[in-house]
Amino acid sequence: MRALMKSVGLAAVLSGLGLAHGQTASPPSGQSGNLAPGRAEGSQQSVPRQGPNPTGAPVETAPPNVPEFKPAFPGQTRAPAVQTRTAFQVTEVASGFNRPWAIAFLPDQRMLVTEKPTGALYIVTPEGKKSPAVAGLPRVDGRGQGGLLDVEVGPDYAQSRLIYWTYYEPREGGNGLAVARARLVDGAKPRVEGLKIIFRMQPTLESTLHAGGRLVFTPDSKLLVMLGERSILAGRVQARDLKSHFGKIVRINPDGSVPKDNPFLGNKEARPEIWSLGHRNILSAALDAQQRLWIVEMGPRGGDELNRPEAGKDYGWPTIGYGEEYSGKRIHESTQGPGMEQPVYYWDPVISPSGMTIYSGDLFPEWRDNVFIGGLSSQALVRLVMKDDRVVGEERLLTDLDARIREVVQGPEGALYVLTDDSDGKLLKLTPR
């Protein structure tokens, strides 16, 4: 077995990940099981083990923020550390993105990349050449966690040329997440035509936080939209309220209409788009090999959650959970409650999740069916090994980049592509060495 070849060396880190296009770098393998340096202050930040670990020891070594909260079942948190055996390399494909947020692949393997605060959308070739910003997108509210967020290519793109995206829409009295679609007109100066807003989060609220924004198309061409509860108390209290979109997953048709089999369609007190409820802020979402949805929710101080949502179910926020306010004050009545679902897994301290893919490619057989999650405060690509829908191993990759990982997607050739969350954000590719 070859030892893990870490992906970027110290010189690259010190130069701000300044790899030339196509260049790769790698420090010596076989590092000992030391802890990641300088990553924790108190117990809020994660301190993962690196390298070989004692048998059965968890990847997380920092104390929990809420030690009195105990897992509901064995293995619900602090899974044993695992270590990738396949040597891999990281290649810089492109750079110079201002806080990039999402990647979507076009059929010809070019990529759509969004910039959060600017509202710009770019087309990037596999060799890293960026187009001018795509013209015709609507204005965004780019404050705070707002801006242009996810982008997806329509399931019928070959015929329709439709792309879909989420953004913070400025409105009278505040803002809200919106989903738009339009035809992509390719060329030297790309643009979109036929713009249509197919969904608007309601009610309107003045908040620059927690609108969610991830999009997932299901095999039957329905569109799932992941929504947050806007963070402030006026929004948080609506996360389990069926009259509000806050803290929900909604399910719509590609034209924005409501599918006839949505779970709350017969409830006159519910918004018909709602598919599941009781979520905090969903920034990670992907389908598994069985085409089931998995999400990771951004928690408070402690309490990031991996969930496998199902239609009509209530995931409990803010009534139940495993975290606390950033001030240290109590949020939850309990960790469990009647009629409310438990997370498959939770993190305390948090990883601050964003972006997610479930690996199905051939380049890394060792990673097949593993869950990969971008980590912001954890500055890691988080890998979860699954068995029977439970987490049985965890690894923190790319920690030597010293970078917030905003997005991770699997490319058509089986490589992993990630975005770093920075004013000079980078598009990186992981391939076997």
Side-chain angles (χ1 to χ4, degrees):
M1 295 291 183
R2 292 178 291 174
L4 171 67
M5 299 293 291
K6 289 222 174 170
S7 49
V8 174
L10 180 60
V13 173
L14 294 177
S15 63
L17 310 185
L19 297 174
H21 168 64
Q23 181 182 352
T24 60
S26 181
S29 61
Q31 294 189 6
S32 62
N34 61 305
L35 305 186
R39 196 164 295 277
E41 294 183 13
S43 59
Q44 173 58 22
Q45 286 290 85
S46 177
V47 184
R49 295 179 184 272
Q50 303 297 314
N53 294 285
T55 301
V59 69
E60 183 59 73
T61 66
N65 291 290
V66 195
E68 62 270 26
F69 285 171
K70 305 301 181 185
F73 53 83
Q76 194 182 21
T77 191
R78 297 189 178 242
V82 294
Q83 186 180 20
T84 294
R85 298 184 299 274
T86 304
F88 66 88
Q89 61 189 6
V90 171
T91 304
E92 182 181 305
V93 177
S95 63
F97 298 101
N98 186 354
R99 302 285 174 190
W101 211 89
I103 304 166
F105 277 89
L106 294 168
D108 62 4
Q109 300 193 19
R110 290 180 303 160
M111 291 159 275
L112 300 174
V113 177
T114 62
E115 273 188 353
K116 185 178 78 67
T118 67
L121 173 67
Y122 297 96
I123 302 174
V124 184
T125 69
E127 296 75 33
K129 182 180 179 181
K130 293 195 302 187
S131 73
V134 176
L137 273 69
R139 185 168 64 92
V140 305
D141 183 343
R143 298 172 299 156
Q145 295 174 2
L148 178 61
L149 303 178
D150 207 3
V151 62
E152 287 292 335
V153 174
D156 63 345
Y157 179 83
Q159 293 77 40
S160 71
R161 310 289 290 182
L162 288 173
I163 62 171
Y164 297 71
W165 65 92
T166 57
Y167 67 103
Y168 273 46
E169 179 186 50
R171 305 174 186 168
E172 183 178 350
N175 56 35
L177 191 90
V179 182
R181 78 174 190 180
R183 292 186 303 277
L184 180 64
V185 181
D186 212 342
K189 295 182 178 180
R191 66 187 191 277
V192 294
E193 291 183 345
L195 175 70
K196 179 183 179 182
I197 309 302
I198 61 170
F199 173 80
R200 284 186 165 98
M201 169 190 271
Q202 296 292 344
T204 295
L205 187 69
E206 178 57 52
S207 172
T208 62
L209 305 170
H210 292 195
R214 292 290 174 188
L215 296 172
V216 173
F217 275 104
T218 58
D220 59 355
S221 296
K222 307 304 182 189
L223 182 58
L224 298 172
V225 187
M226 318 300 149
L227 303 176
E229 34 70 287
R230 311 311 310 275
S231 183
I232 61 176
L233 185 59
R236 180 189 292 185
V237 297
Q238 300 179 50
R240 300 181 61 216
D241 182 353
L242 290 173
K243 296 186 293 295
S244 168
H245 287 139
F246 297 167
K248 311 298 191 299
I249 297 174
V250 300
R251 180 174 178 259
I252 56 177
N253 292 313
D255 63 358
S257 62
V258 178
K260 297 185 183 302
D261 57 347
N262 268 11
F264 298 105
L265 203 58
N267 184 341
K268 295 181 180 180
E269 298 299 314
R271 291 188 179 268
E273 303 89 358
I274 293 174
W275 190 73
S276 65
L277 64 150
H279 304 288
R280 185 174 184 265
N281 192 28
I282 307 170
L283 296 179
S284 313
L287 299 180
D288 66 11
Q290 300 175 57
Q291 305 302 311
R292 301 175 303 172
L293 179 68
W294 290 79
I295 62 170
V296 186
E297 302 183 37
M298 181 86 72
R301 192 171 183 261
D304 288 348
E305 293 185 0
L306 172 71
N307 283 297
R308 188 172 68 78
E310 295 182 82
K313 292 192 175 180
D314 180 353
Y315 291 81
W317 174 264
T319 307
I320 64 171
Y322 288 87
E324 63 185 7
E325 301 282 15
Y326 290 103
S327 65
K329 291 183 179 179
R330 187 184 183 99
I331 298 175
H332 311 298
E333 297 175 8
S334 175
T335 59
Q336 302 177 51
M340 290 173 277
E341 304 299 315
Q342 279 292 302
V344 173
Y345 192 72
Y346 72 89
W347 291 265
D348 181 9
V350 298
I351 59 169
S352 303
S354 186
M356 178 179 179
T357 195
I358 300 175
Y359 190 76
S360 61
D362 295 326
L363 283 186
F364 293 96
E366 179 185 6
W367 287 351
R368 197 163 292 129
D369 297 324
N370 289 185
V371 177
F372 289 86
I373 306 153
L376 297 171
S377 68
S378 54
Q379 297 188 351
L381 179 62
V382 179
R383 171 190 171 219
L384 300 179
V385 180
M386 308 295 295
K387 183 178 180 181
D388 299 327
D389 289 347
R390 298 294 187 209
V391 178
V392 296
E394 182 175 353
E395 183 176 18
R396 308 285 173 91
L397 299 165
L398 306 188
T399 55
D400 50 355
L401 294 183
D402 195 28
R404 291 159 53 90
I405 306 299
R406 170 61 73 180
E407 169 75 306
V408 54
V409 300
Q410 180 182 316
E413 83 283 37
L416 285 183
Y417 291 77
V418 302
L419 290 173
T420 63
D421 179 43
D422 193 87
S423 57
D424 179 19
K426 303 188 187 305
L427 170 60
L428 307 174
K429 179 172 71 172
L430 279 66
T431 52
R433 191 171 178 82

